């Protein structure tokens, strides 16, 4: 019989979260309602059997709402290894006073704060069967109703009571989706309504006693609180795209209703109300730009993107600017003409597209035309849009079989990952009956086709291995020894249907690790292998998935150790972030011209140098991606490798792509940011491949004045070939209001779009300027935005207050997180890690970047019994996120910290052994007994284990391209604890300030900017008055002479 051991918290006075007024102390006392099992609030640091006599099972516990906050205790005073030690603080300013010590700031109420008494350790014993009797049925679907893969459901209430048979394993929920939100009243976070954050405009230094200034913790913006509140709202509401609602935060899942304006998942404007002049825009300090993620994944409850076929004529387009037909074009002359919303040019409507209009000038078939009522659509295009005959996606797996790959089991992991990507999920369908033939018998081919395919039917795959020389892997191995002038040994038969040739491919990938276990060449020849792969795909285009485990030092294009660890600043450091090798650049350009992209999986040998700046240049130029394992260890990283290989193969991918962005008269495209090729300014972007995780930043400038009576329009057009072999154009349309000044614009800014554009622009400048200059430029942008808002658009405030725009109240925190990333942080950082993160930021979407800059922190030791399971509305109940600060850490706690790239499970050294048993199994009663290479949780019949696995499955749905596995960080035992400390971005780390210090730093510079402006204004008026006084004196003297 399984048991849960919960520990209750302190029955005395509990301190609320110092930065959130809504995190209230817990009620005192209270008994157990009749018929309810006693439930504790967390795991204690003592073992079983130590229940005090005065134990009250309900003390310190409060039933949590659907998004209930995790309970807060006094901050633990001992930081993790590698984290600066601080003096424990208590009271309302707990955790803030130490951060302000260096600036001379202190808590004015410090004298009144009383040190809390030591917690009385309590725990209770609970039977899982008893708990299950009071919990919802396992038939309730998890978040979204559909249930994410592998999600565990809550124990069934029909489970027998103690003495019956043991519980059955938690079953996967395959129920249908019950999440069908409806549009309610318009939602505006600025309006006072329950659960919606209020406007936070001031961040003050003391007003009563100037000698003892203080920072009010209640006025510090809390990003986790904002995310949780809006996530709860969008569980039950859809986002209407054309009702002037602020876009939901990028880190929040939502369902959008396309009303003619593209969903924020595909396109985000930095401001949805645009100033009419460049001067008004400059006064805001906000860049005018667009964040575009054209192939972003849609929610399961959103309708698919409509695909429209206009035959050989192609979709209707403007004859002047070549914009595609969209919902904002106006039909006139009885429907015979349409006026382009981009350039206002009148066009004749093709005869086959004609439709009459109603008295209001609207086509009568508008509702039956998706291109006239949907903001995001796809058009099938005729042959004039083809560069070559489109075919199904060709994927060529290029596998490193060198010595390092064999010794570190990287080769074995890659082969397992490819098999999982191609055939994962088929096992459940092995017994499905095939199609019956004409004689009533089962067709073996039909049985195979009945299985779930991870690739379209027309897609094909090929396999190539390389060490010192590349070889083509078919049913018979063929070696190509000429690395100076590589060629393809086979013109036909290299690519095969992965399902028709399943037995051959499975046999080959299974034998490769053994085949090359004795043939070990330490120096791989990568560039000749890529040239051979280019020859194989040049006729059709396609995708290369390449693994590499050592610096390619053999053959043409061989690389050398450029980073000796002694270059940390200046122009020489900038050279390490790019490549100057002409052969690598030439190969990358040829791949783009042929419509080929490359995804790399790099495993550094013991954290060694791989020259990612050069190798990754090929993937960045062609639109691919680099998956980097800085210290690959098997079996810890094999699960993550397999998940990422499967994702890169199965995600929506297009190839042979061109992209163009158009905008209204009065605006023009100023620059593009991302991973692509653009030969001349104004030309289309060329991409070998483009996938669902890739985003691009576009900035605009004024070439005239916008008319406030008209709207501003934007349209992106992505021409690409789908994985199924269809040539399409995906169009995303956006509209924004135009206002005379910038006051209205500041009310409709998109914080996530702004931070994404700033990050991509900064990543693009790393190769041109020093990192110190790039960091200074980002800080200056932050100061300009806040100073511009304070000067031009806010009501008067005391000089000692920092005024934050409602739409940008967490912008400073995001900028601090950006400064602390490996791409931009100060101090020493390996060149490979910097180069990888720089290119990753350039291609990140808004959702992935938001979590990357500010991780999610979830406490798992004090969850309520309903967290981690589905609630009455069918949504998974997730505990409230905590501040990414050590002030949120409790003694004896366990925490999940996820930044979208890694997920750290940090466990305190005084954690309860009951938590370890419930989470990892009965064999683990102390931290030292846990496997440091653990990457996933075992499947146990305990409530805590099911809760945490459900939460992990939920977090996996919110990530980008990186697979979710846990990295164990035990306090004082594992090196991953340094990574845990680095993720606490609100604290002083990563060669940067704490959040409080950062805001004070920004505030001081804003004050200096105001003083400078006042001084300049004073000099102007003094000069003006001086000239006027001189002229008056001359006139007076002249009049006196006449008299």
């Amino acid at each position: 019989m399984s048991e849960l051991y919960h520990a209750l918290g302190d029955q005395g006075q509990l301190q609320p979260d110092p930065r959130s007024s809504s995190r209230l102390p817990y009620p005192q006392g209270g008994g157990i309602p009749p018929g309810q099992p006693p439930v504790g609030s967390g795991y204690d640091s003592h073992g079983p059997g130590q229940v005090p006599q005065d134990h009250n099972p309900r003390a310190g516990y409060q039933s949590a709402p659907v998004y209930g906050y995790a309970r807060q205790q006094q901050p633990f005073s001992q930081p993790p290894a590698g984290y600066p030690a601080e003096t424990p603080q208590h009271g309302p300013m707990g955790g803030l006073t130490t951060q302000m010590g260096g600036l001379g700031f202190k808590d004015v109420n410090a004298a009144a704060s009383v040190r809390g008494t030591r917690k009385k350790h309590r725990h209770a014993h609970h039977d899982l069967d008893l708990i299950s009797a009071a919990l919802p049925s396992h038939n309730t679907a998890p978040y979204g109703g559909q249930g994410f893969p592998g999600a565990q459901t809550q124990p069934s209430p029909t489970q027998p009571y103690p003495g019956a048979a043991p519980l059955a394993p938690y079953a996967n929920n395959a129920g249908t989706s019950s999440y069908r939100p409806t549009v309610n009243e318009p939602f505006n976070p600025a309006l006072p309504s329950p659960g919606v954050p209020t406007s936070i405009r001031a961040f003050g230094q003391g007003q009563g006693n100037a000698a003892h200034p203080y920072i009010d913790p209640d006025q510090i913006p809390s990003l986790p609180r904002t995310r949780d509140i809006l996530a709860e709202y969008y569980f039950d509401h859809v986002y209407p795209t054309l009702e002037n609602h602020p876009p939901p935060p990028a880190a929040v899942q939502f369902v959008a209703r396309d009303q003619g304006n593209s969903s924020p998942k595909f396109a985000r404007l930095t401001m949805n109300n645009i100033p009419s002049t460049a001067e008004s825009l400059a006064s805001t300090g906000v860049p005018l730009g667009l964040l575009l993620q054209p192939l972003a994944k849609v929610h399961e409850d959103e309708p698919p993107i409509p695909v429209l076929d206009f035959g050989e004529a192609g979709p209707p387009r403007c004859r002047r600017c070549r914009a595609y037909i969209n919902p904002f074009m106006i039909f006139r002359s009885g429907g015979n003409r349409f006026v382009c919303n981009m350039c206002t040019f009148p066009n004749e409507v093709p005869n086959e597209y004609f439709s009459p209009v109603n008295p209001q000038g609207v086509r009568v078939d508008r509702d039956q035309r998706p291109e006239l009522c949907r903001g995001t659509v796809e058009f099938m295009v005729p042959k004039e849009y083809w560069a070559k005959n489109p075919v199904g996606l060709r994927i060529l797996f290029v596998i490193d079989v060198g010595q390092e790959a064999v010794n570190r089991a990287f080769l074995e992991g890659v082969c397992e990952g490819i098999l999982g990507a191609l055939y994962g999920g088929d096992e459940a369908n092995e017994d499905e009956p095939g199609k019956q033939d004409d004689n009533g018998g089962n067709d073996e081919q039909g049985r195979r086709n009945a299985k779930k395919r991870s690739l379209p039917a027309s897609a094909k795959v090929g396999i190539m291995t390389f060490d010192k020389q590349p070889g083509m892997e078919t049913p018979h191995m063929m070696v190509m020894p000429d690395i100076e002038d590589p060629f393809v040994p086979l013109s036909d038969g290299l690519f095969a249907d992965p399902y028709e040739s399943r037995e051959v491919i499975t046999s080959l990938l299974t034998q490769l690790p053994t085949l090359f276990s004795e043939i070990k060449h330490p120096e791989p020849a990568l560039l000749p292998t890529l040239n051979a792969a280019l020859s194989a795909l040049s006729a059709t285009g396609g995708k290369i998935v390449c693994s590499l485990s050592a610096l390619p030092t053999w053959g043409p294009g061989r690389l050398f150790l450029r980073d000796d660890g002694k270059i940390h600043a200046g122009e020489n450091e900038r050279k390490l972030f790019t490549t100057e090798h002409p052969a690598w650049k030439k190969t990358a350009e040829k791949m783009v011209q042929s419509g080929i992209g490359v995804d790399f999986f790099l495993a550094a040998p013991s954290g060694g140098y791989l020259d990612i700046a050069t190798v990754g240049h090929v993937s960045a130029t062609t639109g691919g991606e680099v998956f980097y394992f800085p210290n690959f260890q098997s079996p810890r990283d094999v699960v993550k490798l397999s998940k990422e290989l499967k994702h890169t193969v199965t995600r929506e991918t297009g190839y042979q792509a061109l992209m163009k962005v158009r905008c209204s008269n009065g605006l023009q495209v100023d620059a593009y940011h991302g991973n692509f090729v653009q030969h001349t300014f104004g030309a289309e972007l060329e991409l070998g491949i483009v996938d669902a995780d890739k985003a691009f930043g576009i900035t605009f400038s004024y070439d005239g004045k916008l008319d406030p009576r008209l709207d501003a329009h934007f349209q992106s057009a992505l021409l690409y070939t789908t994985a199924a072999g269809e040539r399409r154009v995906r169009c995303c349309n956006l509209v924004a209001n135009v206002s005379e000044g910038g006051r209205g614009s500041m009310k409709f800014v998109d914080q996530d779009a702004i931070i994404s554009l700033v990050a991509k622009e900064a990543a693009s400048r790393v190769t041109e300027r020093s990192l110190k200059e790039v960091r200074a430029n980002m800080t200056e942008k932050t100061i300009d935005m806040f100073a511009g808002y304070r000067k031009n658009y806010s009501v008067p405030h005391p000089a000692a207050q920092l005024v934050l725009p409602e739409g940008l109240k967490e912008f400073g925190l995001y900028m601090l997180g950006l400064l602390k990333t490996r791409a931009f942080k100060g101090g020493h950082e390996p060149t490979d890690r910097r180069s990888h993160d720089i290119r990753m930021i350039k291609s990140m979407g808004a959702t992935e970047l938001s979590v990357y800059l500010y991780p999610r922190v979830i406490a798992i030791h004090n969850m309520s019994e309903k967290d981690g399971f589905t609630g009455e509305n069918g949504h998974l109940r997730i505990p409230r996120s905590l501040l990414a600060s050590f002030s949120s850490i409790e003694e004896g706690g366990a925490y999940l910290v996820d930044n979208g790239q890694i997920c750290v499970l940090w466990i305190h050294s005084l954690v309860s052994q009951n938590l370890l048993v419930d989470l990892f199994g009965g064999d683990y009663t102390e931290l030292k007994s846990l496997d440091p290479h653990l990457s996933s949780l075992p499947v146990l019949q305990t409530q805590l284990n099911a809760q945490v696995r459900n939460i992990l499955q939920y977090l996996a749905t919110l990530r980008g391209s990186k697979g979710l596995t846990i990295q164990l960080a035990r306090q004082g035992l594992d090196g991953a604890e340094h990574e845990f400390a680095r993720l606490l971005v609100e604290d002083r780390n990563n060669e940067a300030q704490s959040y409080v210090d950062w805001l004070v730093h920004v505030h001081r510079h804003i004050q200096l900017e105001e003083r400078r402006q006042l001084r300049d204004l004073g000099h102007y008026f003094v000069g003006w008055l001086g000239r006027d006084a001189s002229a008056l004196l001359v006139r007076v003297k002249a009049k006196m002479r006449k008299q």
Side-chain angles (χ1 to χ4, degrees):
M1 182 181 301
S2 300
E3 292 185 345
L4 291 178
Y5 304 95
H6 296 275
L8 301 181
D10 193 353
Q11 295 188 30
Q13 182 178 2
L14 296 176
Q15 300 293 343
D17 187 337
R19 303 188 189 181
S20 178
S21 59
S22 61
R23 301 190 182 187
L24 302 176
Y26 288 84
Q28 306 298 316
I32 304 175
Q36 293 291 333
V39 179
S41 60
Y43 286 87
D44 194 85
S45 58
H46 290 273
Q50 300 180 12
V51 183
Q53 297 297 326
D54 60 345
H55 169 60
N56 184 349
R58 294 292 292 178
Y61 174 76
Q62 182 181 18
S63 296
V66 174
Y67 253 64
Y69 283 104
R71 121 184 219 283
Q72 295 289 309
Q73 297 179 358
Q74 297 176 3
F76 177 60
S77 60
Q78 296 296 326
Y83 201 82
E86 296 180 354
T87 305
Q89 300 292 334
H90 305 275
M93 294 294 290
L96 293 178
T97 307
T98 56
Q99 298 179 5
M100 299 303 298
L103 297 175
F105 285 64
K106 66 178 182 178
D107 183 6
V108 295
N109 299 321
S113 63
V114 180
R115 179 181 178 89
T117 58
R118 182 174 179 84
K119 294 190 294 291
K120 297 179 180 179
H121 300 292
R122 292 176 167 83
H123 64 274
H125 307 269
H126 300 292
D127 191 334
L128 183 59
D129 298 335
L130 291 175
I131 293 177
S132 65
L135 298 180
S137 169
H138 70 284
N139 293 325
T140 307
Y143 170 74
Q146 179 66 29
F148 31 79
Q152 303 300 316
T153 56
Q154 207 166 1
S156 171
T158 60
Q159 176 67 31
Y161 282 87
L167 290 173
Y170 293 94
N172 292 339
N173 193 325
T176 58
S177 174
S178 60
Y179 182 32
R180 293 291 185 272
T182 57
V183 179
N184 290 352
E185 69 281 352
F187 171 62
N188 186 350
L191 296 178
S193 59
V196 177
T198 57
S199 176
I200 302 176
R201 300 185 182 277
F203 174 77
Q205 296 173 338
Q207 301 174 4
N209 188 352
H212 298 283
Y214 76 99
I215 289 183
D216 185 359
D218 292 333
Q219 293 298 319
I220 299 179
S222 173
L223 183 55
R225 180 174 179 268
T226 301
R227 285 178 176 175
D228 289 341
I229 290 174
L230 292 179
E232 182 179 355
Y233 177 87
Y234 283 109
F235 270 153
D236 301 309
H237 299 77
V238 301
Y239 171 74
T241 63
L242 201 60
E243 295 185 12
N244 285 335
H245 288 199
V252 172
Q253 272 197 343
F254 63 94
V255 173
R257 190 181 74 172
D258 192 337
Q259 299 174 317
N261 206 34
S262 283
S263 167
K265 298 175 183 178
F266 300 108
R268 286 176 175 263
L269 286 170
T270 55
M271 50 178 58
N272 295 280
N273 191 317
I274 299 175
S276 58
T277 63
E279 292 75 14
S280 298
L281 177 66
S283 66
T284 66
V286 178
L288 177 57
L290 169 67
L291 181 67
L292 186 64
Q293 192 171 351
L295 298 183
K297 184 179 179 181
V298 299
H299 194 277
E300 60 184 6
D301 290 308
E302 295 174 348
I305 304 301
V307 180
L308 311 174
D309 189 356
F310 288 87
E312 292 299 325
R317 302 180 65 179
C318 175
R319 289 191 292 115
R320 175 188 288 177
C321 69
R322 304 302 293 163
Y324 290 84
I325 189 73
N326 61 75
F328 305 105
M329 288 187 173
I330 301 173
F331 288 84
R332 293 179 178 174
S333 302
N336 290 293
R337 291 188 176 186
F338 67 89
V339 179
C340 178
N341 59 318
M342 299 290 173
C343 64
T344 68
F345 181 77
N347 297 266
E348 296 293 333
V349 176
N351 294 332
E352 62 274 11
Y353 194 66
F354 173 79
S355 174
V357 297
N358 62 20
Q360 288 75 33
V362 180
R363 286 174 59 118
V364 297
D365 66 344
R366 177 184 177 89
D367 293 338
Q368 287 74 42
R369 292 281 188 179
E371 72 275 13
L372 299 180
C373 57
R374 296 282 296 273
T376 304
V377 296
E378 284 197 339
F379 300 108
M380 300 285 290
V381 293
K383 292 184 178 180
E384 60 186 88
Y385 292 80
W386 297 3
K388 57 185 69 174
N389 290 330
V391 296
L393 181 64
R394 302 296 191 257
I395 301 179
L396 182 59
F397 295 101
V398 180
I399 305 174
D400 179 8
V401 294
Q403 177 178 333
E404 196 68 35
V406 174
N407 292 344
R408 302 188 69 84
F410 184 59
L411 172 59
E412 183 178 359
V414 170
C415 293
E416 292 178 2
I418 295 174
L419 286 174
L422 295 178
Y423 310 115
D426 284 354
E427 292 76 6
N429 298 322
E430 285 290 345
D431 297 329
E432 287 188 6
K435 299 179 182 179
Q436 289 188 345
D437 56 25
D438 297 337
N439 298 325
N442 283 340
D443 179 14
E444 179 65 20
Q445 182 65 33
R447 186 187 69 82
R448 288 199 299 265
N449 292 338
K451 300 176 183 180
K452 181 180 178 181
R453 299 176 63 104
S454 58
L455 293 174
S458 56
K460 296 184 178 181
V461 301
I463 299 175
M464 175 190 297
T465 62
F466 73 99
D467 43 26
K468 282 189 174 182
Q469 56 191 15
M472 305 293 178
E473 298 295 342
T474 63
H476 302 283
M477 178 183 297
M478 302 193 69
V479 179
M480 196 275 295
D482 189 357
I483 62 176
E484 297 292 339
D485 186 16
F487 62 94
V488 183
L490 287 176
S491 58
D492 297 323
L494 175 60
F495 294 94
D497 186 295
Y499 301 95
E500 294 179 354
S501 306
R502 175 170 181 169
E503 295 181 0
V504 175
I505 294 176
T506 302
S507 175
L508 171 64
L509 292 175
T510 304
Q511 295 176 14
L512 277 182
T514 305
L515 183 63
F516 289 94
S517 60
E518 302 297 332
I519 309 174
K520 298 180 180 180
H521 296 290
E523 298 176 302
L526 179 59
L527 186 59
T529 304
L530 293 177
N531 287 327
L534 171 61
S535 300
L537 290 169
S538 59
T540 61
K543 180 176 181 177
I544 299 172
V545 179
C546 179
S547 66
L548 179 68
S549 59
L551 185 67
T553 56
W554 186 266
R558 55 182 174 272
L559 303 178
F560 304 93
L561 181 64
R562 294 195 295 161
D563 183 9
D564 57 1
K566 300 179 181 178
I567 304 175
H568 301 310
E571 183 177 354
N572 292 331
E573 184 184 26
R574 296 202 301 268
K575 293 181 179 179
L576 297 178
F577 302 144
T578 185
T579 180
E580 297 179 354
H581 204 298
W584 287 83
K585 291 183 176 181
K586 184 178 180 181
T587 297
E589 292 175 359
K590 286 183 178 180
M591 286 185 173
V592 174
Q593 294 173 3
S594 301
I596 302 170
V598 185
D599 284 347
F600 280 109
F601 287 81
L602 307 181
S606 302
Y609 182 66
L610 288 178
D611 198 355
I612 292 181
T614 299
V615 175
H617 173 79
V618 178
S619 63
T621 303
T622 60
E625 187 172 0
V626 172
F627 297 84
Y628 180 46
F629 298 84
N631 188 19
F632 183 86
Q633 292 186 7
S634 178
R636 183 193 66 184
D637 296 323
V638 171
V639 176
K640 182 177 177 65
L641 174 63
S642 297
K643 289 184 177 182
E644 293 175 354
L645 271 167
K646 183 174 183 179
H647 181 78
T648 191
V649 170
T650 59
R651 63 185 172 187
E652 184 175 3
T653 302
Y655 65 102
Q656 297 180 25
L658 296 173
M659 193 175 74
K660 178 79 172 180
V661 176
R662 298 175 175 89
C663 54
S664 296
N665 286 340
L667 296 173
Q668 62 182 358
V669 175
D670 183 61
Y672 290 94
H673 301 285
N675 293 332
F676 51 80
V677 170
Q678 187 181 26
H679 293 290
T680 59
F681 179 76
E684 293 88 352
L685 306 186
E686 299 182 28
L687 304 105
I689 58 173
V690 60
D691 56 62
D693 299 315
K694 298 301 181 294
F696 309 90
I698 302 98
T699 56
F700 302 96
S701 60
Y702 289 78
D703 61 359
K705 181 179 179 180
L706 298 178
D707 188 349
R709 297 171 298 178
L710 303 176
D711 293 330
H713 298 271
F714 306 85
Q715 183 185 78
S716 70
L718 176 68
L719 173 64
Y720 72 106
T721 303
T722 67
E726 295 179 346
R727 196 71 171 159
R728 298 179 183 177
V729 172
R730 175 166 292 195
C731 288
C732 298
N733 300 280
L734 286 174
V735 62
N737 296 328
V738 178
S739 59
E740 285 287 356
R743 184 178 300 275
S745 302
M746 295 301 294
K747 297 179 181 179
F748 292 94
V749 294
D750 188 332
Q751 183 172 249
D752 293 291
I754 296 173
I755 190 65
S756 295
L757 279 180
V758 171
K760 293 180 187 300
E761 183 180 2
S764 301
R765 293 183 176 179
V766 167
T767 58
E768 303 171 0
R769 301 180 181 180
S770 66
L771 287 173
K772 184 178 180 180
E773 293 175 333
V774 172
R775 290 192 295 268
N777 183 261
M778 290 191 287
T779 303
E780 185 179 351
K781 286 181 181 294
T782 307
I783 295 171
D784 289 344
M785 291 184 197
F786 292 164
Y789 177 79
R790 181 188 183 96
K791 174 186 175 182
N792 301 307
Y793 306 114
S794 70
V795 297
H797 287 81
Q801 288 186 343
L802 172 62
V803 183
L804 302 178
E806 174 64 25
L808 297 174
K809 60 178 179 288
E810 294 102 5
F811 181 78
L813 182 54
Y814 276 124
M815 290 299 295
L816 177 62
L818 184 61
L819 290 170
K820 291 185 175 184
T821 61
R822 285 193 168 95
F824 305 111
K825 67 182 287 291
H828 176 68
E829 189 71 24
T831 304
D832 276 351
R833 305 206 74 167
R834 277 202 197 273
S835 300
H836 172 258
D837 282 31
I838 288 171
R839 291 200 175 110
M840 182 177 65
I841 289 175
K842 289 175 66 176
S843 64
M844 269 185 172
T847 300
E848 192 173 7
L849 181 64
S850 177
V851 181
Y852 179 63
L853 299 183
Y854 194 92
R856 296 183 179 92
V857 181
I858 298 177
I860 63 173
H861 61 283
N862 56 9
M863 293 187 294
S864 72
E865 78 281 5
K866 295 182 179 180
D867 288 336
F869 296 113
T870 53
E872 297 178 356
N873 56 0
H875 300 156
L876 189 72
R877 296 166 55 104
I878 301 297
R880 286 290 193 189
S881 301
L882 306 179
L883 298 174
S885 170
F886 201 74
S887 62
S888 302
I889 303 303
E890 299 177 0
E891 180 178 341
Y895 298 85
L896 288 173
V897 186
D898 177 32
N899 74 340
Q901 309 298 312
I902 62 171
C903 183
V904 176
L905 174 57
W906 185 83
I907 304 178
H908 190 270
S909 60
L910 300 180
V911 68
S912 168
Q913 68 175 4
N914 306 315
L915 183 146
L916 297 179
V917 170
D918 287 348
L919 192 59
F920 300 102
D923 296 334
Y924 304 97
T925 57
E926 57 181 10
L927 280 180
K928 293 182 179 179
S929 62
L930 295 178
D931 182 5
H933 295 159
L934 182 74
S935 61
S936 60
L937 294 178
V939 179
L940 304 177
Q941 300 181 39
T942 61
Q943 178 168 327
L944 178 65
N945 182 271
Q947 287 176 304
V948 177
R949 284 188 287 115
N950 280 344
I951 292 174
L952 289 173
Q953 291 290 342
Y954 170 76
L955 294 178
T957 65
L958 306 180
R959 297 165 74 90
S961 60
K962 305 303 187 294
L964 187 146
T965 57
I966 61 174
Q967 186 169 353
L968 192 61
R970 300 167 296 175
Q971 187 186 32
L973 297 176
D974 298 318
E977 193 176 5
H978 295 278
E979 189 70 21
F980 168 76
R982 194 186 70 82
L983 296 177
L984 302 180
V985 296
E986 292 202 31
D987 294 334
R988 183 181 291 109
N989 51 29
N990 293 294
E991 306 292 334
Q993 300 163 305
S994 67
Y995 184 31
V996 174
D997 295 349
W998 164 250
L999 288 180
V1000 172
H1001 173 75
V1002 171
H1003 188 201
R1004 286 177 175 174
H1005 280 77
I1006 292 175
Q1007 291 176 319
L1008 292 175
E1009 180 68 15
E1010 287 183 335
R1011 293 170 186 169
R1012 184 189 63 79
Q1013 293 176 355
L1014 289 175
R1015 184 172 60 252
D1016 295 343
L1017 186 62
H1019 291 164
Y1020 170 78
F1021 279 110
V1022 169
W1024 181 80
L1025 290 174
R1027 292 192 299 270
D1028 187 65
S1030 300
L1032 179 61
L1033 182 61
V1034 170
R1035 289 196 298 270
V1036 170
K1037 289 183 177 179
K1039 186 174 182 180
M1040 292 177 64
R1041 292 194 194 98
K1042 291 180 180 179
Q1043 293 176 349

